[in-house]
Amino acid sequence: MDVVALSRLQFAVTSMFHFIFVPLTLGLVLLVAWMETRYVRTGDEMYKRMAKFWGKLFLINFALGIVTGITLEFQFGMNWAEYSRYVGDIFGAPLAIEATAAFFLESVFIGVWAFGWDKVSKKVHLLSIWIVAISSNLSALWILLANGWMQNPVGYVLRNGRAEMVDFGAMFTNPYGVWKFYHTVVSCYTVGAFFVMGISAWHLLRGSKPEFFRRSFRMGAYFGLVAIALSLLTGDYQAEVVARYQPAKLAAMEAHWETGTNAGIHLLAWPDAEQERNVVEAAYVPGVLSYLAYRDLDAEVVGLNDIPREDRPPILPVFLSFRAMVGLGGLMVLASVLAAFFVWRGTLDKQRLFLRLLIYFIPIPYLTIQLGWLVAEVGRQPWLVYGVMRTSEGVSTAINATQVVVSLIGFTLLYSALGFIDIYLLFKFSRKGPEESPAAQPILKEA
């Protein structure tokens, strides 16, 4: 592999690993804030114990997520210096805002929340977790706006040998970044929901603190149902955005080779980039692709054969990742509907097979989000900044392949250790369950 391929691999490894922690942080913090809100409004100590228990798991995940995120920004300077020099004035602005505003708020108030139990008033403590929740989402907004600019560069001019920002508002309202933010954060909420439901299911099957985990499951189920519905809506609209700004990515997602109207999709297909066609095709549904992309059954959709080979993304990885993401998303919709239905009917405790399945469902939203990220990033290739800078032009000229291999091995070993610690701690404290209620403690001591 050359320096470009190795640097891409290193950034993929580190960013995908970091993105294991981010979704749970975004999803779980909202549930914790909701639980504490219920405690402050009702005075019910059960909700306070729920906020503490799930908040402890949130803090473990948050701490390890910070460590893995720091290295990403260093790579822009080390591995992608030409990219940083060319577009740094634009790309750096949202990252700077994220670090100095959103992340600063998040870091300060997470300390107030973690150490402020019974030291500040209930309302101040509640306010601190909501500030953490809102600032976490604002962090995601600025990062995804930066990424959205790479997908659809707006509000800039090429001057003095680099890109210079001339319209900050255009970047802030960039439809690609805005809709990517909506779709990503609501998808992250599903991770939090399935995490809570999965762990609650494990305890319910063992009869461990049933009322505590029944309530936790109920909140996770309703939260997850709303999140998955919003994920479907935002994902549907994002298809329109992709069609408008990156027709090559859309064509790769559906293995669509020939430009035409009333374009459909093959439910079964296998693309061959060398032969520039699908070697397997079956179950054709006409008009679907035209409608999804332009809300018009007769709209024309550009095919891959009308896009120069050098401007096409890798077809098979994008196609397979998209199909797998959609398939897993369908399973999540089914599981969310069933979970909410069983909770609503009050029959959850009788659904032991379903509860067992939900334990194994915990990794599914993680995998679905990673596949979506692959579609977005691999589908943008060969461009680093779409239509402006190719990936091969952005890599640093002062590094060699050996240096990148060494740092790649180092990151892989370090992140593997961090991943092991994260899973171990989450497993340990999830299995341990919440602390006993104050009313139960004297009874236990006497016993």
Side-chain angles (χ1 to χ4, degrees):
M1 286 188 183
D2 60 12
V3 172
V4 175
L6 286 168
S7 294
R8 287 181 62 193
L9 178 60
Q10 179 170 293
F11 200 84
V13 168
T14 51
S15 60
M16 291 180 76
F17 188 83
H18 175 60
F19 208 57
I20 291 174
F21 301 95
V22 174
L24 184 59
T25 294
L26 291 173
L28 194 53
V29 69
L30 280 177
L31 278 165
V32 172
W34 183 15
M35 291 167 184
E36 189 166 351
T37 302
R38 296 278 293 169
Y39 162 62
V40 173
R41 292 187 64 182
T42 64
D44 188 335
E45 287 288 330
M46 178 76 81
Y47 287 113
K48 181 181 180 181
R49 293 174 60 218
M50 287 166 64
K52 282 192 168 184
F53 172 70
W54 296 108
K56 182 183 291 183
L57 302 181
F58 162 73
L59 289 174
I60 293 169
N61 188 74
F62 180 82
L64 289 165
I66 291 174
V67 176
T68 58
I70 292 172
T71 58
L72 294 177
E73 300 203 16
F74 282 111
Q75 287 181 68
F76 289 124
M78 294 189 297
N79 295 63
W80 301 99
E82 291 304 310
Y83 164 78
S84 298
R85 184 193 62 78
Y86 195 69
V87 303
D89 285 356
I90 303 171
F91 189 77
L95 293 187
I97 296 172
E98 187 273 333
T100 57
F103 183 65
F104 180 77
L105 273 177
E106 193 178 358
S107 302
V108 169
F109 283 92
I110 204 169
V112 175
W113 187 82
F115 301 105
W117 287 104
D118 304 321
K119 296 183 177 66
V120 297
S121 71
K122 288 181 182 178
K123 289 184 179 178
V124 170
H125 197 266
L126 175 62
L127 179 64
S128 67
I129 191 65
W130 275 111
I131 291 176
V132 172
I134 293 169
S135 54
S136 298
N137 282 264
L138 287 176
S139 284
L141 171 65
W142 289 112
I143 290 169
L144 290 170
L145 284 176
N147 182 269
W149 187 85
M150 296 171 70
Q151 305 279 355
N152 176 43
V154 292
Y156 75 100
V157 295
L158 296 178
R159 187 163 52 198
N160 301 321
R162 60 179 187 162
E164 296 181 1
M165 184 186 295
V166 294
D167 188 349
F168 180 80
M171 190 204 70
F172 187 72
T173 58
N174 183 355
Y176 208 109
V178 170
W179 281 102
K180 190 167 190 178
F181 165 73
Y182 289 148
H183 186 55
T184 302
V185 294
V186 295
S187 300
C188 292
Y189 298 162
T190 64
V191 174
F194 275 92
F195 182 80
V196 170
M197 285 193 289
I199 292 173
S200 298
W202 189 86
H203 282 279
L204 287 172
L205 285 168
R206 285 154 182 78
S208 167
K209 302 175 178 63
E211 182 56 26
F212 180 98
F213 285 106
R214 206 174 285 127
R215 285 195 199 185
S216 296
F217 190 100
R218 183 167 60 239
M219 296 179 83
Y222 290 145
F223 182 67
L225 185 62
V226 172
I228 200 75
L230 291 174
S231 181
L232 288 174
L233 288 173
T234 54
D236 177 56
Y237 191 79
Q238 197 168 6
E240 290 186 59
V241 175
V242 171
R244 193 184 315 158
Y245 298 109
Q246 293 189 10
K249 180 188 289 183
L250 180 74
M253 287 161 59
E254 294 294 357
H256 177 66
W257 293 95
E258 302 299 334
T259 300
T261 59
N262 193 232
I265 60 172
H266 291 92
L267 297 181
L268 296 174
W270 190 268
D272 186 327
E274 289 301 317
Q275 297 186 49
E276 298 187 313
R277 67 183 182 87
N278 295 332
V279 292
V280 174
E281 287 184 345
Y284 184 70
V285 183
V288 172
L289 186 55
S290 291
Y291 184 79
L292 289 175
Y294 301 105
R295 295 294 183 267
D296 181 354
L297 288 170
D298 294 320
E300 182 180 272
V301 179
V302 176
L304 287 163
N305 284 334
D306 282 328
I307 298 170
R309 268 179 175 260
E310 63 272 19
D311 291 344
R312 297 176 194 167
I315 310 300
L316 189 60
V318 175
F319 172 78
L320 292 178
S321 297
F322 180 68
R323 290 292 173 108
M325 180 191 72
V326 172
L328 292 176
L331 287 177
M332 290 166 57
V333 171
L334 179 61
S336 296
V337 171
L338 287 175
F341 176 74
F342 292 142
V343 168
W344 175 68
R345 289 291 302 271
T347 60
L348 180 65
D349 289 356
K350 299 177 182 176
Q351 313 300 328
R352 299 187 67 80
L353 176 60
F354 180 67
L355 291 174
R356 287 193 190 94
L357 289 175
L358 278 184
I359 298 171
Y360 298 104
F361 242 87
I362 292 176
I364 299 295
Y366 284 100
L367 183 57
T368 307
I369 286 180
Q370 295 279 358
L371 289 166
W373 196 251
L374 277 174
V375 172
E377 297 306 301
V378 178
R380 191 188 62 225
Q381 300 303 317
W383 301 101
L384 191 51
V385 179
Y386 198 77
V388 175
M389 183 182 218
R390 290 183 182 272
T391 303
S392 57
E393 298 170 337
V395 74
S396 300
T397 56
I399 57 174
N400 58 49
T402 303
Q403 292 170 324
V404 183
V405 167
V406 171
S407 60
L408 175 59
I409 293 172
F411 279 130
T412 303
L413 293 175
L414 173 64
Y415 281 17
S416 297
L418 290 173
F420 174 80
I421 293 170
D422 182 63
I423 293 171
Y424 169 75
L425 291 176
L426 289 178
F427 182 80
K428 176 183 175 182
F429 288 102
S430 299
R431 187 184 175 93
K432 184 179 178 183
E435 296 178 357
E436 293 295 338
S437 66
Q441 286 177 2
I443 298 173
L444 291 175
K445 286 178 182 177
E446 289 171 10

